[in-house]
Each structure stands twice: as structure tokens, then as C-alpha cells.
Amino acid sequence: NAGVTQTPKFQVLKTGQSMTLQCAQDMNHNSMYWYRQDPGMGLRLIYYSASEGTTDKGEVPNGYNVSRLNKREFSLRLESAAPSQTSVYFCASSRTGDYTEAFFGQGTRLTVV
Amino acid sequence: GENVEQHPSTLSVQEGDSAVIKCTYSDSASNYFPWYKQELGKRPQLIIDIRSNVGEKKDQRIAVTLNKTAKHFSLHITETQPEDSAVYFCAAHRSGYSSASKIIFGSGTRLSIRP
């Protein structure tokens, strides 16, 4: 039982490059989330998904796209990376319809140069 | 939109003293308020939570209080120890519904325990 797994753990991109961050959970959770963490800014919600095939914008969705491929997987795509997207990205999942915690992946440290 | 404000951003206390972190939320429909601890280089993990129908909850040295009228909730850590040094996040959430909703986090408090 791995929980929430993110890949890669580290990535350096050049401005304008694209990439996809992968996230998978094995806890049979319906809800999944993508956050970015910047110094002094806390965890800001980029996108979230209630179930397979549904996604909704969070606080800072601009410059990102997401795909909820199936119940387990929720990917985050940067189409044209910018230095402002340098951050640590966390994927999380939780049960829907219950007062339960969100479980986080180990994070992806992304640097855009 | 929904917003969660957290204060202070940094807090330094003497080992053995108490620490208090405060949050306010804007969405009156929020009914679940978890607190997460993030140690250096690690992922956030839940340490305590409270539902809107409860005013206070305690778990050993940590406690959380909620004032629904004022939309305030606070984390209290007593008898602080070196291992309490970390970043703490509050969050507000509409939980218990049939569909997912946003989990909005505060900006975090970096707690340092002085020996």
C-alpha cells in the first residue's frame, strides 16, 4: 500500500518546455488535488477532481491543465513552462463525502530556468 | 471566493512553553477544519482536525478550538518539544457532501522551538 505516489521527484525545465507530472493513489479515493507550495504562500490549490472524468479549477489554475485518467491517476501538465512556475508540487487524495484527511504525495520539486 | 488566513507566519517559543496559531476562514459553508504538520523536506500530514459541530478537541499536547460565529479556529500546542519544530497549515473544507469540494489552506506558520 504505497498511498499517493508522484513522479518525478525533481525536474529542471527550460522556459517554454512542456511536461506532465504524474500522480497515482491506491487508496480507492474519489477526490484528488494538485497544489503548489511556494515560500510564504502556503499550499495553493491548482485543480481538483471529484471523480474520473471531472475536474475543477482551484485558486491558481492559469498555465496548467489536468487529466483525471481513471480513479487512480490524476496528472498535471505544464504546456509552456515559465520561471513563475518554479515551485514544489504536491498531489493529494481524499475520500469524498466524509470528514477525512487528505493524503499527500512526496512532492515534485520543479525548477524552470 | 474561499479564503483562509493564518497568523503568525513565523513563531519562536522556548522549549516547554505553549504555542498558538490562529486561522480565519471566509466560506460559511466550511464544516471541517484540519491541521497539517510539514517537517522539513517532507509531505504535509494531518495532526488534528475539528468539525463544525464541535467547539474544542484535544489530543495529548495539541488542541484545536473553533468559533463558528467569528469564523476563527486555533491550534494550541502545550509543553513544546524540539520535534514540534515544523511548518503548520490550517485548512477549511466543505466535507460530508456527495461531491468533492476545495480544500483551501492557510499560508503556513513556521514554528521553531528554542532549547
Side-chain angles (χ1 to χ4, degrees), chain A residues 48, chain B residues 1-5 23-33 52 66-73 91-95 97 100-105:
Chain A
Y48 66 106
Chain B
E2 300 94 330
N3 187 44
V4 177
E5 294 191 0
C23 290
T24 60
Y25 61 98
S26 62
D27 182 8
S28 57
S30 295
N31 58 4
Y32 177 60
F33 307 93
S52 59
L66 171 66
N67 182 330
K68 279 195 306 182
T69 303
K71 296 183 185 174
H72 289 173
F73 58 113
H93 188 201
R94 297 184 191 184
S95 191
Y97 293 86
S101 66
K102 303 175 184 180
I103 305 176
I104 302 299
F105 285 84

Side-chain angles (χ1 to χ4, degrees), chain B residues 6 16 26 39 75 110:
Chain B
Q6 183 172 346
S26 62
E39 297 178 346
L75 177 71
R110 183 173 299 278

Side-chain angles (χ1 to χ4, degrees), chain B residues 39-54:
Chain B
E39 297 178 346
L40 188 63
K42 299 195 174 179
R43 71 192 79 188
Q45 292 188 297
L46 181 78
I47 55 171
I48 194 167
D49 55 16
I50 191 167
R51 300 185 186 186
S52 59
N53 60 349
V54 176

